């Protein structure tokens, strides 16, 4: 008697999909969510009050809340711009930061696109 068809191809497809999900899961978990604060980071959005490229600091006035200063380091992710010198006063900004003992460390800074002519 002939054996029934093998499930080997479907098992390989399932194994491939499982491996793909296994490697992609940490990438989705590491993304910062807009408007969400967690135990690892806090989120704020507001208007830039001052930017100091020499000191690598920035002060943001929140819409509802206090003015907060953040320190930028080499691990800070920029989105919507390339250098700190591109930011100007009175621009809208979104910042994910981690509060520390002496200061707030910026993790990600997002400059929304400016629409208009």
């Amino acid at each position: 008697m002939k054996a029934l068809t093998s499930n080997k191809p479907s098992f390989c497809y399932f194994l491939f999909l499982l491996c793909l999900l296994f490697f992609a899961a940490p990438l989705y978990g590491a993304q910062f969510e807009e408007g969400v604060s967690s135990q690892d980071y806090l989120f704020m959005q507001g208007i830039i009050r001052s930017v100091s490229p020499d000191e690598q600091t920035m002060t943001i006035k929140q819409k509802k809340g206090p003015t907060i200063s953040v320190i930028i380091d080499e691990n800070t992710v920029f989105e919507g711009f390339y250098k700190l010198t591109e930011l100007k006063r009175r621009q809208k900004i979104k910042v994910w930061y981690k509060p520390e003992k002496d200061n707030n460390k910026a993790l990600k800074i997002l400059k929304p696109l400016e629409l208009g002519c």
Side-chain angles (χ1 to χ4, degrees):
M1 280 194 125
K2 212 174 193 187
L4 297 173
T5 59
S6 174
N7 288 336
K8 190 173 183 178
S10 62
F11 178 73
C12 290
Y13 291 132
F14 175 73
L15 189 59
F16 175 75
L17 180 63
L18 188 64
C19 289
L20 186 65
L21 289 174
F22 176 74
F23 289 114
L27 296 176
Y28 288 112
Q31 293 181 353
F32 298 110
E33 295 182 36
E34 190 170 321
V36 176
S37 295
S38 75
Q39 208 171 28
D40 298 329
Y41 62 88
L42 297 174
F43 172 78
M44 73 170 152
Q45 60 184 353
I47 297 173
I48 298 174
R49 287 201 106 174
S50 67
V51 177
S52 176
D54 297 331
E55 297 176 6
Q56 295 289 305
T57 61
M58 181 170 49
T59 305
I60 298 105
K61 171 67 176 145
Q62 297 183 71
K63 292 180 181 181
K64 296 180 181 176
T67 300
I68 296 178
S69 294
V70 293
I71 293 178
I72 292 98
D73 65 0
E74 65 276 351
N75 296 325
T76 303
V77 176
F78 297 149
E79 193 170 316
F81 64 103
Y82 296 106
K83 295 186 278 184
L84 198 57
T85 54
E86 294 177 36
L87 297 177
K88 306 219 182 318
R89 291 185 72 220
R90 297 185 179 174
Q91 283 183 326
K92 291 184 180 180
I93 200 87
K94 296 178 181 179
V95 179
W96 289 262
Y97 67 98
K98 182 176 185 176
E100 294 182 348
K101 290 182 182 180
D102 299 332
N103 51 37
N104 297 312
K105 183 179 171 185
L107 301 172
K108 178 181 175 182
I109 302 172
L110 179 124
K111 179 183 140 190
L113 295 174
E114 297 173 8
L115 301 175
C117 298

